[in-house]
Amino acid sequence: MTKTILAVDDSPSVRQMVQMTLKGAGYTVVEAVDGEDALDKARRGRFDAVITDQNMPKLDGIGFIRRFRELPTAVGVPVVFLSTESRDDLKAEARAAGATGWMTKPFDQTMLLNVVKKIAG
């Protein structure tokens, strides 16, 4: 069974790179342009993992995770931040909100793939 990953980022080029990396490894990728868009998609279906940016319009990554974790479809779904941010206090806030891990941009495609394999199978 194919695993489905939700990729949330306001940058089209980042979403495209994430999609190309994961799709090439056999994953299905659903893209969302910001936290609000991601919540809308999460309300309509279940994902095997989520990769989200932090700094986005409408709803940032931490705000998205807080609201995502309230959904029944979010139970047990790992969430990894992929962000230019790397401050320890922000990482701690993300973990408290329900994030599983953190990667910084620019990202290495092999590393992203290894992380997704580890968290989503």
Side-chain angles (χ1 to χ4, degrees), residues 16-17 30 40 50 53 65 67 74 79-80 93 109 117:
Q16 182 180 28
M17 186 66 82
V30 175
D40 183 52
V50 176
D53 188 18
I65 288 181
R67 292 178 54 194
V79 178
V80 174
E93 188 178 356
Q109 290 175 297
K117 283 180 181 177

Side-chain angles (χ1 to χ4, degrees), residues 7-19 31-34 53 55-57 82 84 105 107:
V8 189
D9 202 300
D10 58 322
S11 167
S13 60
V14 171
R15 288 194 315 271
Q16 182 180 28
M17 186 66 82
V18 168
Q19 183 176 79
E31 296 181 31
V33 299
D34 58 42
D53 188 18
N55 298 315
M56 299 179 287
L82 181 60
T84 57
K105 294 179 196 173
F107 66 93

Side-chain angles (χ1 to χ4, degrees), residues 1-68:
M1 184 174 155
T2 303
K3 303 283 183 163
T4 303
I5 312 301
L6 177 61
V8 189
D9 202 300
D10 58 322
S11 167
S13 60
V14 171
R15 288 194 315 271
Q16 182 180 28
M17 186 66 82
V18 168
Q19 183 176 79
M20 286 174 37
T21 300
L22 298 180
K23 195 173 184 181
Y27 293 95
T28 298
V29 179
V30 175
E31 296 181 31
V33 299
D34 58 42
E36 289 290 341
D37 186 30
L39 278 175
D40 183 52
K41 290 176 174 155
R43 287 183 187 107
R44 292 184 278 152
R46 181 167 168 78
F47 296 96
D48 296 293
V50 176
I51 299 169
T52 184
D53 188 18
Q54 166 55 20
N55 298 315
M56 299 179 287
K58 295 187 183 177
L59 184 62
D60 68 14
I62 290 174
F64 160 70
I65 288 181
R66 286 184 179 128
R67 292 178 54 194
F68 176 69

Side-chain angles (χ1 to χ4, degrees), residues 71-92:
L71 301 175
T73 55
V75 174
V77 177
V79 178
V80 174
F81 270 92
L82 181 60
S83 178
T84 57
E85 298 282 347
S86 61
R87 296 187 340 252
D88 288 338
D89 62 321
L90 197 55
K91 290 179 184 179

